[in-house]
């Protein structure tokens, strides 16, 4: 395949929707061209630096609010060597705690969802209220020093935004809104609170967490790894925007990649896009080049009858993928009708392993019943069950990438401009680790 043409990508005038997601391209910044040392992906020493300067300093995504709807509901989520309980409170709010009993350090819960009123430690039976306070210490009179000099569980910062619950291992962390920064204005027009969670999978992968982030933050690999997507999206001429610590690129959907030649007939992936928008591919009379705009117009015109409110979104958001990296470890494929959110979590002690979380959400038309919350589906390392064709294709690269990175013959990452977000990701990591 070779590049034979350039797509004419029609974009909205941001002035028509000034409160919508910013569309402007950020100013390009010079991030150099130097190699990214492979030790960032392979060494325990760098992993430890990341733990001290990133994971224990930033805000981290914990769960969706509706995963723990009632007082006493909790989710236990692990991040590196730490385990955190996020608990719904009686006043409807949330609190986060280290998942550790203050007696002799036992874990109070296993990873996943649960309900505890109170939390009862399985070792000697210490009890904690859902607000973390001591509820009962059996035989307290045999502790001559009395209760531990704290109110109960070790509390962590916890906040909510856009229907998600966030926590931090850093008790001095800045406010969540400040941390998310410009992304708040980017995401709010999508109204994630109108989307239902439909899938929750965790896969244990044999690669560093950053190798996984990388795979979701550049489109250079699309032609080789996901050739089927070339019949559906632009992979070459993407707007890349670099913010303070976060980044994004905008991927136009509903057109052919410049890497493939039109075959005259509308290919099945574009027919599927027409169909999922509610259009009849058989009666579509426009040209192939007009499909993206036709879908945008159709969705705009029929939004009320479809029970959807796209009034805050620009036209391109009705078709395209706005692909974000929320530093350090959340990537999103953000669409008008769905959100594909991935969490890339580090392993407790092995830089060659990680946990990949898939959280899928779908916009529920007004008046329609929401589906039940999905059950957690855990795939241990080596599982051969499919995660979906595109993610399977990504996953198939990552174990061999990690093996290769550990080779004496590989010095580090040699990045193109198409991989500029990876360079920015490493610049942000450098800012945190102080290198
Ligand atoms: Fe929890 Fe003893 S370690 S009650």
């Amino acid at each position: 395949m070779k590049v034979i043409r350039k797509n004419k990508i029609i974009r909205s005038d941001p002035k028509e929707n000034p409160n919508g997601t910013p569309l402007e391209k950020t100013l390009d910044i010079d991030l150099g061209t130097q190699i990214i040392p492979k030790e960032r992906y392979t060494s325990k020493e760098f992993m430890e630096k990341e733990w001290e300067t990133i994971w224990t300093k930033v805000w981290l995504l914990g769960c969706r609010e509706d995963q723990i709807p009632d007082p006493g509901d909790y989710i236990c989520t692990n991040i590196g060597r730490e385990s955190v309980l996020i608990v719904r409170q009686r006043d409807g709010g949330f609190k986060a705690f280290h998942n550790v009993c203050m007696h002799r350090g036992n874990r109070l819960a296993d990873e996943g969802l649960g309900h505890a009123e109170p939390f009862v430690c399985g070792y000697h039976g210490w009890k904690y209220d859902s607000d973390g306070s001591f509820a009962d210490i059996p035989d307290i009179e045999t502790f001559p020093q009395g209760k531990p000099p704290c109110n109960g569980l070790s509390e962590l910062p916890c906040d909510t935004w856009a229907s998600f619950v966030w926590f931090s291992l850093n008790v001095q962390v800045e406010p969540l809104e400040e941390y998310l920064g410009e992304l708040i204005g980017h995401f709010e027009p999508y109204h994630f609170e109108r989307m239902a969670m439909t899938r929750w999978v965790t896969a244990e992968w044999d690669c560093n967490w950053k190798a996984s982030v990388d795979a979701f933050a550049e489109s250079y690999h699309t032609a080789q790894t996901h050739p089927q997507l070339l019949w559906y999206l632009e992979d070459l001429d993407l707007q890349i925007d670099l913010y303070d610590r976060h980044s994004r690129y905008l991927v136009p959907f509903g057109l052919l990649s410049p890497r493939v030649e039109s075959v005259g007939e509308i290919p099945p992936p574009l027919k599927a896009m027409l169909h999922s928008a509610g259009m009849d591919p058989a009666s579509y009379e426009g040209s192939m080049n007009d499909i993206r705009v036709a879908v945008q117009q159709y969705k705009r015109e029929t939004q009320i009858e479809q029970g959807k409110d796209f009034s805050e979104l620009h036209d391109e958001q009705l078709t395209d993928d706005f692909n974000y990296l929320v530093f350090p470890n959340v990537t999103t494929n953000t669409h008008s009708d769905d959100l594909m959110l991935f969490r890339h979590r580090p392993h407790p002690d092995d830089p060659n392993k990680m946990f990949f979380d898939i959280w899928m959400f779908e916009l529920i038309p007004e008046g329609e019943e929401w589906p039940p919350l999905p059950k957690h589906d855990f795939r241990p390392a080596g599982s051969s069950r499919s995660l979906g064709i595109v993610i399977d294709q990504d996953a198939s690269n990552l174990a061999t990438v990690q093996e290769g990175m550990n080779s004496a013959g590989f010095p580090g990452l040699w990045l193109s401009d198409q991989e500029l977000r990876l360079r920015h990701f490493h610049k942000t990591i450098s800012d945190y680790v102080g290198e």
Side-chain angles (χ1 to χ4, degrees):
M1 283 181 288
K2 61 182 182 196
V3 176
I4 53 169
R5 63 186 163 77
K6 209 168 159 36
N7 272 321
K8 185 163 178 272
I9 297 167
I10 296 170
R11 302 190 194 279
S12 304
D13 178 355
K15 291 194 207 83
E16 287 173 10
N17 181 7
N19 297 322
T21 301
L23 296 175
E24 296 79 7
K25 170 151 181 43
T26 55
L27 289 176
D28 286 330
I29 49 176
D30 182 5
L31 295 170
T33 56
Q34 58 272 57
I35 205 163
I36 307 292
K38 61 100 169 273
E39 288 75 15
R40 289 190 159 207
Y41 292 75
T42 58
S43 93
K44 280 206 167 188
E45 191 189 350
F46 195 78
M47 183 183 196
E48 189 56 31
K49 275 191 195 173
E50 287 178 341
W51 182 255
E52 294 299 330
T53 63
I54 298 176
W55 300 111
T56 54
K57 296 291 179 286
V58 299
W59 280 98
L60 296 163
L61 183 55
C63 66
R64 253 286 276 236
E65 288 185 35
D66 57 3
Q67 284 184 289
I68 44 175
D70 299 318
D73 288 350
Y74 70 85
I75 189 165
C76 175
T77 186
N78 295 346
I79 179 81
R81 69 183 72 153
E82 288 288 3
S83 180
V84 173
L85 298 169
I86 298 172
V87 190
R88 177 72 84 158
Q89 302 297 295
R90 290 189 191 95
D91 65 1
F94 300 87
K95 283 182 183 272
F97 310 98
H98 282 107
N99 174 22
V100 58
C101 175
M102 303 309 284
H103 178 218
R104 277 172 43 198
N106 192 24
R107 291 285 189 221
L108 292 167
D110 295 329
E111 200 169 20
L113 293 171
H115 180 86
E117 277 182 305
F119 285 98
V120 182
C121 179
Y123 200 170
H124 310 89
W126 283 31
K127 294 192 176 105
Y128 301 88
D129 194 81
S130 56
D131 66 2
S133 60
F134 291 117
D136 184 40
I137 297 179
D139 305 338
I140 182 65
E141 67 281 2
T142 64
F143 292 82
Q145 74 280 39
K147 288 196 284 190
C150 58
N151 293 325
L153 298 177
S154 168
E155 190 168 350
L156 294 165
C158 185
D159 202 353
T160 58
W161 172 72
S163 77
F164 292 98
V165 188
W166 304 70
F167 68 94
S168 178
L169 299 172
N170 175 11
V171 292
Q172 312 263 302
V173 72
E174 72 229 79
L176 177 62
E177 286 203 6
E178 210 173 286
Y179 181 81
L180 294 172
E182 56 281 291
L183 294 196
I184 288 178
H186 286 237
F187 284 136
E188 279 184 343
Y190 285 98
H191 289 281
F192 297 146
E193 75 280 3
R194 298 174 189 160
M195 296 184 182
M197 192 174 196
T198 54
R199 194 166 179 230
W200 178 21
V201 184
T202 299
E204 193 178 6
W205 279 355
D206 290 328
C207 68
N208 186 267
W209 69 276
K210 294 185 294 301
S212 177
V213 170
D214 293 349
F216 292 86
E218 53 89 357
S219 68
Y220 182 38
H221 70 289
T222 305
Q224 185 65 34
T225 300
H226 312 294
Q228 77 279 9
L229 296 182
L230 300 182
W231 300 97
Y232 183 77
L233 54 76
E234 167 69 53
D235 63 311
L236 200 55
D237 183 17
L238 305 186
Q239 176 177 320
I240 295 178
D241 296 310
L242 309 176
Y243 303 102
D244 184 14
R245 43 170 95 82
H246 316 297
S247 71
R248 75 172 180 183
Y249 61 30
L250 311 184
V251 187
F253 277 16
L255 36 70
L256 299 182
S257 161
R259 298 182 197 268
V260 295
E261 279 187 68
S262 171
V263 289
E265 181 179 317
I266 297 175
L270 287 180
K271 282 187 182 166
M273 183 176 190
L274 288 164
H275 187 262
S276 76
M279 303 168 75
D280 176 11
S283 60
Y284 174 73
E285 291 179 344
S287 77
M288 186 106 67
N289 293 338
D290 293 333
I291 287 177
R292 176 171 172 267
V293 170
V295 168
Q296 292 168 4
Q297 285 173 348
Y298 184 83
K299 287 175 76 169
R300 181 75 70 201
E301 284 161 10
T302 59
Q303 59 180 320
I304 293 173
E305 69 193 73
Q306 293 200 33
K308 299 172 179 177
D309 178 1
F310 297 137
S311 58
E312 293 172 49
L313 297 176
H314 302 289
D315 284 348
E316 51 265 71
Q317 289 173 291
L318 305 187
T319 49
D320 299 354
D321 175 31
F322 278 42
N323 181 302
Y324 287 87
L325 164 59
V326 186
F327 185 82
N329 73 328
V330 173
T331 56
T332 71
N333 292 64
T334 326
H335 308 130
S336 57
D337 289 82
D338 64 85
L339 169 69
M340 303 159 70
L341 186 151
F342 306 121
R343 264 192 335 174
H344 312 257
R345 288 184 291 140
H347 190 269
D349 55 25
D350 189 344
N352 298 297
K353 293 182 186 299
M354 63 153 309
F355 298 98
F356 178 72
D357 297 310
I358 302 171
W359 297 1
M360 298 292 194
F361 302 87
E362 282 174 26
L363 181 67
I364 304 299
E366 213 176 314
E368 272 191 25
E369 200 173 321
W370 281 42
L373 281 167
K375 296 250 183 300
H376 191 203
D377 179 1
F378 180 71
R379 312 285 179 90
S383 167
S384 58
R385 285 172 59 208
S386 174
L387 295 167
I389 181 169
V390 175
I391 295 175
D392 287 348
Q393 289 169 330
D394 286 315
S396 73
N397 292 331
L398 293 176
T400 48
V401 160
Q402 193 67 27
E403 271 182 35
M405 282 188 172
N406 279 285
S407 163
F410 180 71
L413 288 69
W414 189 261
L415 299 176
S416 69
D417 279 349
Q418 293 180 73
E419 298 157 293
L420 196 61
R421 293 176 69 202
L422 277 55
R423 201 172 278 293
H424 178 260
F425 180 41
H426 277 281
K427 186 236 173 231
T428 309
I429 289 170
S430 296
D431 291 344
Y432 273 89
V433 301
E435 284 186 357

